[in-house]
Amino acid sequence: MAGGDPAAAAAEAELRRGFETLAVAQPDPSAGVYEVRLNRPAQRNALSPAAFAEIPRAMSLLDRLPSARAVVLSAAGPHFCAGIELGGPGNPLTAASARGADPAVAAEGLRRAVLEMQDAITAVERCRKPVVAAVHGACVGGGVDLVAACDIRCCSRDATFVLKEVDMAIVADLGALQRLPRIIGYGNAADLALTGRKITAMEAKEMGLVTRVFDSKQDLDAGVAKIAKEIAEKSALAVMGTKAVLLRSRDVTVEQGLEHVATWNAGMMRSNDLKEAIRAFLEKRKPVFSKL
């Protein structure tokens, strides 16, 4: 519970209001793990305009919620995500391209629509709490963009991954071309993006797109819940700091990354969590870390 923190109480209240395209819950109240589940199984969890609005909202709320220390991103139904929903009502891409007779006006509207969708995907990365993706079934196009923004990616043996944009005569523009080369290397990213071929769970693991493959959806859910629970039991300050430094170091030189973490730890190594970790180690017990 949020206790006396008004911001946390407001975040909890907004989460309870629910979502149209997502299901957000804390499966185990005793653990600091929340699940964000894509919840449009009849549409294979295609990313609709509502989904692009709700994903950043959910991630922002969990970022502000002290009881959320790790997040699992999963999906309902037989498939993880069929990519961006095409041709649906309110689709920002078709609406933007049709707006106005002036091609430049239409182009600017389309650019803004793409930037807004990019921001929705980046909200997963921007959330200070680690996000663990649990992928099963098909993960297509925008679904790959979404999991590429997660911190840890796991899948079931039946999972497949494909970037379909090149087959739709467009350039992938929601983050896969920027994030995948850093995750799986330029060569593998170019292979997937230029051929549009589908890869299996085991090939995804060989590339480094996922770190663990589970035999079934049930095993995946249990395994990812265990990973997230282990993260949630650690010092929240250390976990959030590690994520922040990893992301910062990804985009700068090694020297700049080292300077950044030195500055970070100059302030954070005075935390009560560090003192508690040392005491617990010496006393051979499990540490009890501060709440946010």
Side-chain angles (χ1 to χ4, degrees):
M1 294 298 291
D5 185 343
E12 281 189 347
E14 190 168 347
L15 281 176
R16 286 195 295 269
R17 285 171 46 200
F19 300 83
E20 177 186 334
T21 67
L22 307 174
V24 181
Q26 186 180 19
D28 180 359
S30 67
V33 178
Y34 279 73
E35 181 183 21
V36 176
R37 187 167 67 249
L38 305 180
N39 199 30
R40 302 178 73 221
Q43 293 78 28
R44 298 186 178 183
N45 297 309
L47 299 173
S48 64
F52 279 110
E54 291 186 336
I55 289 170
R57 176 180 154 226
M59 289 298 166
S60 175
L61 291 172
L62 293 174
D63 181 87
R64 295 180 352 230
L65 197 62
S67 60
R69 300 168 80 100
V71 179
V72 171
L73 179 64
S74 64
H79 298 290
F80 181 80
C81 180
I84 297 176
E85 185 173 72
L86 300 176
N91 185 291
L93 297 182
T94 54
S97 60
R99 187 183 300 125
D102 188 331
V105 173
E108 175 56 21
L110 180 56
R111 177 179 177 274
R112 286 200 307 271
V114 171
L115 288 172
E116 288 171 3
M117 291 190 293
Q118 289 175 348
D119 194 61
I121 299 296
T122 300
V124 176
E125 186 175 86
R126 195 182 297 123
C127 178
R128 293 176 301 158
K129 318 300 173 63
V131 182
V132 185
V135 180
H136 71 287
C139 182
V140 179
V144 178
D145 293 299
L146 190 59
V147 300
C150 295
D151 303 293
I152 300 173
R153 289 161 294 278
C154 303
C155 71
S156 56
R157 195 168 294 275
D158 72 329
T160 59
F161 301 83
V162 59
L163 288 174
K164 290 292 290 180
E165 285 85 350
V166 71
D167 289 333
M168 301 299 293
I170 61 174
V171 177
D173 57 7
L174 297 188
L177 300 187
Q178 291 70 38
R179 293 185 175 97
L180 285 182
R182 292 173 165 89
I183 297 170
I184 62 176
Y186 179 88
N188 285 326
D191 182 347
L192 298 185
L194 293 173
T195 66
R197 72 182 182 90
K198 183 188 299 183
I199 61 170
T200 64
M202 295 314 297
E203 189 171 359
K205 187 174 188 301
E206 290 171 5
M207 288 183 177
L209 179 57
V210 300
T211 54
R212 309 188 201 191
V213 177
F214 296 87
D215 287 335
S216 67
K217 174 70 162 59
Q218 183 177 3
D219 291 341
L220 172 68
D221 291 341
V224 167
K226 183 174 183 291
I227 293 169
K229 187 173 185 293
E230 289 174 350
I231 294 172
E233 290 174 345
K234 302 182 188 300
S235 163
L237 292 173
V239 167
M240 291 189 300
T242 297
K243 174 171 179 172
V245 170
L246 277 169
L247 289 172
R248 174 65 176 167
S249 298
R250 178 193 66 182
D251 299 327
V252 299
T253 66
V254 171
E255 183 178 0
Q256 290 168 327
L258 289 170
E259 183 177 357
H260 178 71
V261 73
T263 303
W264 185 285
N265 271 349
M268 300 308 292
M269 286 183 73
R270 292 178 290 178
S271 73
N272 291 333
D273 280 359
L274 175 58
K275 299 173 186 175
E276 168 62 10
I278 294 172
R279 280 196 302 266
F281 175 78
L282 295 175
E283 296 169 7
K284 295 181 172 56
R285 60 173 175 81
K286 189 174 181 178
V288 179
F289 293 119
S290 303
K291 295 182 179 180
L292 290 176

